[in-house]
Amino acid sequence: MTTGCPLPYPENERVLLGHGAGGRLTAELLESLVLPALGGRQGPMEDAALVPGRQELVVSTDGFVVSPLFFPGGDIGSLAVHGTVNDLAMRGAEPVALCVALLLEEGLELTDLEAVLRSLGKAAQEAGVPVITGDTKVVGRGAADKIFITTTGIGRRLPGLRVSAAAARPGDAIVLSGPIGLHGTAVLGTREGLGFEADIASDTRPLHRLVAALAKLGDQVHALRDPTRGGLAAALNEIARDSGVAMEIDEGLLPVPEPVAAACDLLGLDPLHVANEGCMVAFVAPAAADEALALLRSLPEGGGAVRLGNVTPAEGHPGRVVMRTAVGARRVVDMPLGEQLPRIC
């Protein structure tokens, strides 16, 4: 009798949906294949990058493949604008311009394309950022799923705000700007016809005005992240890893809307792993925590801001995130392996 290795041989490995989910599989793909091919890691994995030689300029690029194209609270067009504006904002930048590339499937209804483009244009106008250039390609039937959008954003750093994924410090307050879980459950409910549409709408919206408000705190704001793919769990783990710290949050303070909690219970999902598109987590000096909350709550998009917990010394466990549960126990909040809900952005 012969036996074989149960693991696949490297030459037979394939890309999985989970590789694009923002969790551990994504990190492994970047570290083992993407980054080495492009010259290696240059620093922490930020949502946007500083332009070499022009440190006041920030650039970010993103692809959007959400299914379905339209969902309660938004669509792929507005999502593309909000997602790119928010990536710039998480590096402390004001959006200046957008570039948009469309990949269209042959047979797409022009009425759907028009609706997406009108929504994209409206979202850009409301965010105060012009679309200055772009590209359009059409592929054969089955080579894409209706519409894929790639956006590149250019921003200018706000004076006094120098945030980084590697800058969270022990003692920092962890502040969340609003409820979690809305986007992922809204998209899933619509795609699968689960009946959540009446109760749950995506939270997709731009966050740069919240960041501009926090800029008044200057160097007391250390790190920002919007918890999109992989949810809040991924965002906290990434900041903890890149900053070399640990974190502790309180389950009782998590702002999970009741319909989202019910949907997650029904489907066996963890709200901490569900994608968001309209909230951000900020790491601020403890002396500035109350003022940060007041600044966030002064704007409609930050009306539900809460303080979740604190950054703690690593004490031999850098990158570890712990949650105090409702029964007083503590559990480790792991980085998600892959995406519970594929095609949500």
Side-chain angles (χ1 to χ4, degrees):
M1 182 178 68
T2 60
T3 60
C5 177
L7 297 177
Y9 293 106
E11 60 267 27
N12 293 330
E13 291 181 355
R14 300 286 188 270
V15 173
L16 307 173
L17 277 175
H19 280 123
R24 277 182 285 163
L25 286 177
T26 299
E28 290 172 6
L29 183 67
L30 290 172
E31 295 288 352
S32 65
L33 195 155
V34 177
L35 293 176
L38 300 178
R41 179 194 282 266
Q42 303 299 315
M45 301 298 288
E46 307 277 8
D47 282 339
L50 307 182
V51 176
R54 296 289 301 273
Q55 296 290 290
E56 78 280 8
L57 295 181
V58 177
V59 65
S60 180
T61 192
D62 207 345
F64 297 86
V65 297
V66 64
S67 175
L69 300 180
F70 305 93
F71 45 84
D75 56 74
I76 193 172
S78 59
L79 183 65
V81 172
H82 297 160
T84 305
V85 165
N86 293 347
D87 281 348
L88 294 172
M90 295 307 107
R91 201 68 201 273
E94 173 189 19
V96 173
L98 288 176
C99 311
V100 176
L102 305 174
L103 183 63
L104 310 177
E105 182 188 16
E106 177 189 15
L108 172 70
E109 294 187 10
L110 290 179
T111 53
D112 285 345
L113 177 59
E114 181 182 17
V116 167
L117 291 175
R118 286 188 179 278
S119 179
L120 189 154
K122 180 182 178 184
Q125 184 177 29
E126 291 177 346
V129 55
V131 177
I132 60 171
T133 189
D135 186 37
T136 302
K137 294 291 192 298
V138 178
V139 297
R141 293 175 186 268
D145 186 2
K146 298 181 181 177
I147 303 175
F148 295 160
I149 300 178
T150 297
T151 50
T152 297
I154 302 168
R156 184 181 296 109
R157 296 175 86 186
L158 294 164
L161 199 57
R162 295 295 181 264
V163 293
S164 169
R169 307 171 188 173
D172 278 355
I174 303 172
V175 177
L176 182 68
S177 68
I180 62 171
L182 290 164
H183 177 72
T185 49
V187 171
L188 177 67
T190 304
R191 182 165 65 220
E192 305 298 336
L194 300 178
F196 301 151
E197 298 89 333
D199 300 315
I200 302 174
S202 170
D203 61 343
T204 178
R205 57 188 166 189
L207 300 171
H208 61 299
R209 295 184 181 93
L210 286 181
V211 174
L214 287 181
K216 299 173 185 177
L217 300 177
D219 61 6
Q220 295 185 92
V221 182
H222 300 149
L224 301 170
R225 183 59 59 93
D226 58 333
T228 53
R229 293 178 303 169
L232 184 60
L236 295 178
N237 273 275
E238 288 165 354
I239 299 292
R241 175 199 65 202
D242 290 340
S243 296
V245 296
M247 299 180 188
E248 186 169 297
I249 62 173
D250 190 329
E251 183 179 32
L253 299 177
L254 284 174
V256 182
E258 289 187 11
V260 170
C264 288
D265 284 344
L266 179 65
L267 299 170
L269 302 177
D270 185 343
L272 286 169
H273 293 173
V274 177
N276 313 275
E277 291 291 347
C279 67
M280 70 176 189
V281 60
F283 299 81
V284 302
D290 289 341
E291 188 175 358
L293 283 170
L295 289 169
L296 293 175
R297 291 169 179 167
S298 69
L299 296 171
E301 53 266 48
V306 297
R307 179 172 178 172
L308 286 182
N310 300 283
V311 177
T312 61
E315 294 181 348
H317 298 284
R320 186 165 71 175
V321 180
V322 174
M323 183 168 68
R324 296 190 301 273
T325 68
V327 297
R330 282 174 167 79
R331 75 170 178 92
V332 173
V333 178
D334 285 322
M335 171 74 83
L337 176 62
E339 181 55 77
Q340 299 179 102
L341 312 176
R343 300 283 303 279
I344 45 76
C345 66

